[in-house]
């Protein structure tokens, strides 16, 4: 059962530009997490935002959460070639994390 | 350095064969998970374990089995009943289950059919 849906599926930008990825979900959540996956590697946790939070920052990352619209966005500012990866949102459902299908980000130097 | 180690990195299975994927963690985490990832898709939960000697089925448990005899170890067996085993398998752990803790992932095992 896929709870989160990322949009767009793929995104290609130039180094230095900002990248925005969106995640929509269907049922109420307690928190939402974002992860990054480099090709052929495991996922790396980026940020967790709780349902009573609207915005959270970590370095060049900014995550927003709108529970009324059941959506979240991940903004990466001043992107670098090393940011090239797939990005997944995950929501908690019945004690488990449900992952979306991901956004594939390509940052060209 | 604490982390999760998955082995082998690549694994090939013959028809009718069971294969076991290893997952070891030294993070002292109670909860461990196995996910399957197919191309262009997100992660799907196979099995998870909240504590030693306890585990529950995830969304796609058919054709798989697990054990949790030690806190550090959560091996996954892909049985011959799993007719489409070719995928990337990821093991993860967290301090506790509940979806409110970050999960730490290993670097995966890629399983293919010979």
């Amino acid at each position: 059962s896929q709870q989160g849906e990322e949009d767009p599926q793929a995104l290609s930008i130039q180094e230095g530009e900002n990248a925005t990825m969106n995640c929509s979900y269907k049922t109420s959540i307690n928190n939402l997490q974002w992860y990054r996956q480099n090709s052929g590697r495991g996922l790396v946790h980026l940020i967790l935002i709780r349902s009573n939070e609207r915005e959270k920052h970590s370095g060049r990352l900014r995550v927003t959460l709108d529970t009324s619209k059941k959506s979240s966005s991940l903004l990466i500012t001043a992107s670098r070639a090393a940011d090239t990866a797939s990005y997944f949102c995950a929501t908690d459902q019945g004690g488990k994390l449900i992952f979306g299908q991901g956004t594939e980000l390509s940052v060209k130097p | 350095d604490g982390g999760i180690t998955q082995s082998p990195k690549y694994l090939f299975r013959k028809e009718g064969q069971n294969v076991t994927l290893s997952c070891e963690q030294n993070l002292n985490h109670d909860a461990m998970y196995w996910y399957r990832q197919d191309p262009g898709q997100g992660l799907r939960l196979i099995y998870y374990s909240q504590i030693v000697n306890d585990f529950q089925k995830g969304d796609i448990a058919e054709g798989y089995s697990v054990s949790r005899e030690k806190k550090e170890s959560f091996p996954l067996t892909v049985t011959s009943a799993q007719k489409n085993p070719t995928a990337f398998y990821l093991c993860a752990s967290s301090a506790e289950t509940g979806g409110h803790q970050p999960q730490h992932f290993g670097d995966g095992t890629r399983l293919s059919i010979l």
Side-chain angles (χ1 to χ4, degrees):
Chain A
S1 54
Q2 297 291 336
Q3 156 88 309
E5 296 285 338
E6 282 97 339
D7 170 58
Q9 288 190 334
L11 180 61
S12 182
I13 59 173
Q14 294 294 131
E15 211 166 25
E17 293 180 339
N18 295 344
T20 300
M21 288 157 270
N22 302 297
C23 170
S24 59
Y25 56 91
K26 296 173 185 170
T27 61
S28 296
I29 59 170
N30 294 313
N31 65 75
L32 184 144
Q33 302 184 35
W34 284 92
Y35 289 80
R36 184 188 77 228
Q37 182 181 32
N38 289 83
S39 182
R41 304 293 299 272
L43 277 68
V44 174
H45 180 261
L46 296 176
I47 204 162
L48 182 153
I49 186 165
R50 303 194 189 284
S51 59
N52 61 354
E53 297 175 309
R54 290 297 166 257
E55 189 170 309
K56 207 162 181 181
H57 297 253
S58 177
R60 294 183 296 112
L61 306 181
R62 174 183 163 232
V63 168
T64 61
L65 179 64
D66 187 334
T67 53
S68 66
K69 295 181 179 177
K70 291 187 171 56
S71 67
S72 173
S73 67
L74 170 66
L75 168 68
I76 303 175
T77 60
S79 63
R80 305 166 182 167
D83 294 328
T84 294
S86 293
Y87 292 82
F88 295 89
C89 67
T91 54
D92 62 304
Q93 275 290 296
K96 298 177 287 186
L97 276 187
I98 306 297
F99 289 84
Q101 294 186 348
T103 291
E104 198 172 319
L105 174 65
S106 174
V107 181
K108 301 188 187 310
Chain B
D1 258 350
I4 297 185
T5 302
Q6 289 188 242
S7 63
K9 192 168 177 64
Y10 299 96
L11 188 58
F12 298 92
R13 195 191 88 168
K14 294 180 182 177
E15 288 287 338
Q17 185 182 43
N18 293 353
V19 291
T20 298
L21 285 60
S22 170
C23 177
E24 303 278 332
Q25 55 101 357
N26 61 4
L27 299 166
N28 200 35
H29 283 169
D30 284 319
M32 296 187 75
Y33 313 82
W34 274 106
Y35 294 95
R36 171 180 172 141
Q37 186 177 32
D38 293 283
Q41 296 193 31
L43 279 64
R44 292 184 290 168
L45 183 64
I46 304 172
Y47 268 99
Y48 66 104
S49 169
Q50 297 181 1
I51 54 171
V52 176
N53 293 323
D54 181 66
F55 50 83
Q56 285 83 40
K57 293 181 179 179
D59 298 319
I60 56 164
E62 187 174 349
Y64 301 98
S65 66
V66 294
S67 63
R68 186 85 187 276
E69 296 175 4
K70 297 186 299 182
K71 187 175 186 176
E72 314 81 60
S73 180
F74 192 40
L76 173 74
T77 296
V78 184
T79 74
S80 56
Q82 174 48 246
K83 298 306 178 189
N84 183 23
T86 298
F88 190 49
Y89 290 87
L90 287 162
C91 178
S93 73
S94 62
E96 56 189 49
T97 56
H100 54 276
Q101 295 278 345
Q103 292 188 8
H104 300 255
F105 284 80
D107 271 340
T109 292
R110 194 167 296 279
L111 177 61
S112 303
I113 299 178
L114 276 178

